[in-house]
Amino acid sequence: MLNAMTELFDSLSDDDIELIRLRYVKDLTLSEVASRYSISERTVRNHTNPAIKQVKEIIKQATEQAQHARDVDSI
């Protein structure tokens, strides 16, 4: 999971990482992030949503693998 997350964030531009940081770490609204960069909320979403979707998928896969490993160990 760590490798997948590292690869994902290494593939993002510095600007995309900053938008994600402001939106999800600093917990700013779409409007607040958009206003800081003089861009639309839609642009913020277009730059953050794909990465967040990938993060959720990585976590889901890791969770499923861990559950499978626990199931196999209990047999």
Side-chain angles (χ1 to χ4, degrees):
M1 181 167 102
L2 181 59
N3 288 342
M5 294 289 266
T6 299
E7 287 178 23
L8 170 61
F9 282 97
D10 283 349
S11 73
L12 297 174
S13 72
D14 289 343
D15 289 338
D16 287 347
I17 290 171
E18 179 63 9
L19 292 176
I20 291 168
R21 187 184 73 76
L22 291 172
R23 180 78 176 99
Y24 296 97
V25 176
K26 295 289 185 178
D27 205 27
L28 298 181
T29 65
L30 284 171
S31 178
E32 290 169 329
V33 175
S35 140
R36 280 195 181 195
Y37 285 93
S38 300
I39 57 178
S40 70
E41 290 181 27
R42 180 178 207 149
T43 300
V44 174
R45 271 194 303 275
N46 288 343
H47 284 269
T48 58
N49 284 0
I52 297 307
K53 184 177 179 179
Q54 286 181 289
V55 167
K56 288 179 180 179
E57 184 60 30
I58 290 167
I59 292 169
K60 178 183 171 195
Q61 288 176 359
T63 302
E64 289 170 355
Q65 289 173 352
Q67 181 61 46
H68 177 71
R70 281 191 297 272
D71 292 346
V72 169
D73 286 345
S74 68
I75 294 178

